[in-house]
Amino acid sequence: MTQQLTFDVIVLGAGVAGENAADRASRTGLSVALIEHALVGGACSYWACMPSKVLLRPGAALAAAREAPGAPVDSAVDVAAVLARRDDVAAHWDDAGQVGWVESVGIELLRGHARFTGPRELTLSSDDGETAVVARHAVIVATGSTPIVPPVPGLAEVKPWTSREATSVQHVPARLVVLGGGVVGVEMATVFADFGSDVTLVVRGPRLLAGAEPFAGEAVAESLRALGVTVLLDAQTSSVTRDADGVHVELADRTIDADELLVATGRRPRTDDLGLESVGLVSGKPIAVDDALTATGVDGGWLFAVGDVTGRTATTHQGKYDARVAGDVVAARFGSDAAAREAEDAAGPWSRYRATADEASVPQVVFSRPEVAWVGHTEASAKEAGIDVRVVPYDLANLSGATVLSPTYAGQAQLVLDEARGVIVGATFVGPDIAEMLHAATVAVVGQVPLARLWHAVPAYPTLSEVWLRFGEAAGL
Ligand SMILES: Cc1cc2nc3c(=O)[nH]c(=O)nc-3n(C[C@H](O)[C@H](O)[C@H](O)COP(=O)(O)OP(=O)(O)OC[C@H]3O[C@@H](n4cnc5c(N)ncnc54)[C@H](O)[C@@H]3O)c2cc1C
């Protein structure tokens, strides 16, 4: 190793979390290096959020038009056009645009794979050889996550698709088996059903979207079945094989034959090959952090982690939130802005220097049909947390806003109230066009706004947001 590079701050991993942390960390005059061994932009831009949402959109648009009398639509999704649009949105898997942004904000991009060799020290391996990269003050790890392939006999050997192959698909399989009924499994089952594949969704548990209210998973299962997807719940996969006829998935009561198999059974933090032992942490485990995103169990306060690698967030929006906090903390603690240092030092729970919203106000949207969106507690998790729970359900079809959208509109919402404090601690919406309704609920949960005060936030007529009036009425207002 001949060369050594030194920066104030090193950010390891240039996904959404790393990019945002690097940007924020550089705002008080610190020199920042961003290290990436693949594409700048990470999973979200090329193999996750953006391509998957673009693949889902045409089917959703057609479904909405079909439900609106007077907008006759009898065509199916134009698969080639959808894939071409997906290619554009994924920038043809070329990161030049994002590299341009990194350079424009004065961050130094280093290409290669990095591993820790000790506190604040890494080795960067690239085509140019090995370089020592040293941080004067802080390292922020943002290496993301990797799909879990469960230990089912034969599964790894058949080279299953992960979400990466599904979202970058070029040739649509005639028959697809999806293992896993979480967000990715449900969204991808919808995409390939829209594309005309014969889809079987195999789910180990009793329902889809296990983290959401039960009625959400039930509505999505019903609608997937209506789309032609075979949804198998409580189904254990005992083995998988592949031969010239495709893959064969053995369940207790049947064999499913398909052309491809997509594993969507969760993800784990990517810490296998980071040399974490050299800084006193364990490879393969998430990097646990506190609300300032500093790694717990590491002396000196120099190590931070953000995004999927922490195991505390698994969405782009929450990872970016953590990244903003971590970047601001680093910029304040180690930068030249005395006022920022003072403010960070005195930071309370709701200051910009603490990621308080990771606890009980995390929003999640599933772009299934119907859409599912929730924030904060479900009824079950609120009860588990010992909250004095009152649940307020509402059938969205009763709203004038729903009537405008479609005479067949079907949707359900549910508020979880903390009776003792009179505030909202959770909300779930299920139905067409509800994704954009979530943020109002998030504001209410984060702001701990009493329902009595929300009564004065008057929703426009005729919109689905009028559900907030009905919630108020049901709660006795
Ligand atoms: C199919 C799918 C759809 C999704 N849809 C949504 C959605 O609609 N909305 C949403 O909010 N979330 C969604 N998510 C989740 C979201 O994609 C992730 O939460 C987010 O991308 C995580 O960002 P990150 O920066 O933590 O990790 P990543 O984006 O994975 O970035 C980590 C980066 O680190 C690099 N790296 C790793 N190790 C090293 C190393 N040692 N040296 C150098 N570089 C390294 C990697 O190459 C990578 O670029 C989806 C996920 C999937 C799988």
Side-chain angles (χ1 to χ4, degrees), residues 12-19 35-45 47-50 52-53 110 112-115 124 142-145 163-164 167 183-184 187-188 267 270 273-274 306-309 313-319 364-365 367:
L12 179 50
V16 285
E19 285 181 317
I35 301 180
E36 175 56 54
H37 67 192
L39 294 183
V40 175
C44 184
S45 306
W47 298 286
C49 330
M50 290 307 291
S52 64
K53 265 71 265 180
L110 304 178
H113 182 84
R115 290 179 195 83
L124 176 70
T143 50
S145 60
S163 52
R164 193 178 174 100
T167 52
V183 178
V184 174
E187 288 187 352
M188 287 300 117
R267 300 176 71 81
R270 184 159 35 195
D273 190 18
L274 293 183
V306 292
D308 284 11
V309 76
T313 70
T315 58
T316 284
H317 44 271
Q318 215 67 19
Q364 170 87 56
V365 175
F367 291 82

Side-chain angles (χ1 to χ4, degrees), residues 127-431:
D127 293 345
D128 301 331
E130 298 208 329
T131 308
V133 191
V134 176
R136 283 188 202 93
H137 302 298
V139 179
I140 305 175
V141 180
T143 50
S145 60
T146 193
I148 293 170
V149 177
V152 172
L155 181 55
E157 289 73 21
V158 303
K159 299 210 174 353
W161 276 7
T162 66
S163 52
R164 193 178 174 100
E165 288 74 26
T167 52
S168 57
V169 65
Q170 297 295 345
H171 304 288
V172 174
R175 301 165 301 172
L176 178 70
V177 183
V178 181
L179 297 190
V183 178
V184 174
V186 158
E187 288 187 352
M188 287 300 117
T190 308
V191 165
F192 285 93
D194 283 347
F195 286 1
S197 299
D198 182 358
V199 179
T200 306
L201 183 58
V202 178
V203 182
R204 205 173 48 168
R207 59 192 170 93
L208 302 180
L209 302 176
E213 297 283 6
F215 68 85
E218 283 157 21
V220 173
E222 192 184 316
S223 115
L224 280 170
R225 287 183 174 124
L227 260 181
V229 175
T230 304
V231 180
L232 303 175
L233 303 175
D234 290 314
Q236 295 281 348
T237 307
S238 55
S239 68
V240 182
T241 54
R242 189 192 281 274
D243 60 22
D245 297 328
V247 288
H248 311 287
V249 179
E250 291 296 334
L251 306 181
D253 60 345
R254 72 187 84 189
T255 303
I256 305 159
D257 304 314
D259 301 297
E260 290 297 347
L261 184 156
L262 165 62
V263 179
T265 48
R267 300 176 71 81
R268 61 186 170 78
R270 184 159 35 195
T271 57
D272 297 348
D273 190 18
L274 293 183
L276 283 186
E277 275 71 17
S278 70
V279 299
L281 295 177
V282 182
S283 291
K285 299 263 186 233
I287 300 180
V289 290
D290 59 20
D291 282 353
L293 285 312
T294 40
T296 49
V298 176
D299 290 340
W302 62 273
L303 185 64
F304 295 73
V306 292
D308 284 11
V309 76
T310 64
R312 102 182 204 152
T313 70
T315 58
T316 284
H317 44 271
Q318 215 67 19
K320 285 164 72 172
Y321 165 72
D322 286 356
R324 290 191 291 272
V325 172
D328 284 352
V329 169
V330 167
R333 284 189 192 168
F334 306 110
S336 56
D337 182 339
R341 192 170 321 125
E342 224 170 273
E344 197 280 323
D345 204 33
W350 293 106
S351 96
R352 63 190 279 188
Y353 300 107
R354 297 295 177 265
T356 319
D358 285 344
E359 305 295 328
S361 41
V362 173
Q364 170 87 56
V365 175
V366 188
F367 291 82
S368 45
R369 290 211 301 277
E371 291 170 350
V372 174
W374 72 97
V375 60
H377 281 294
T378 59
E379 180 180 2
S381 74
K383 282 181 176 159
E384 235 168 73
I387 293 169
D388 179 11
V389 173
R390 171 156 178 223
V391 163
V392 184
Y394 190 76
D395 183 346
L396 293 174
N398 293 331
L399 296 167
S400 300
T403 306
V404 172
L405 287 172
S406 166
T408 54
Y409 189 96
Q412 184 73 25
Q414 182 165 295
L415 212 58
V416 181
L417 287 173
D418 179 336
E419 274 279 74
R421 292 193 302 140
V423 298
I424 298 160
V425 292
T428 297
F429 305 91
V430 178

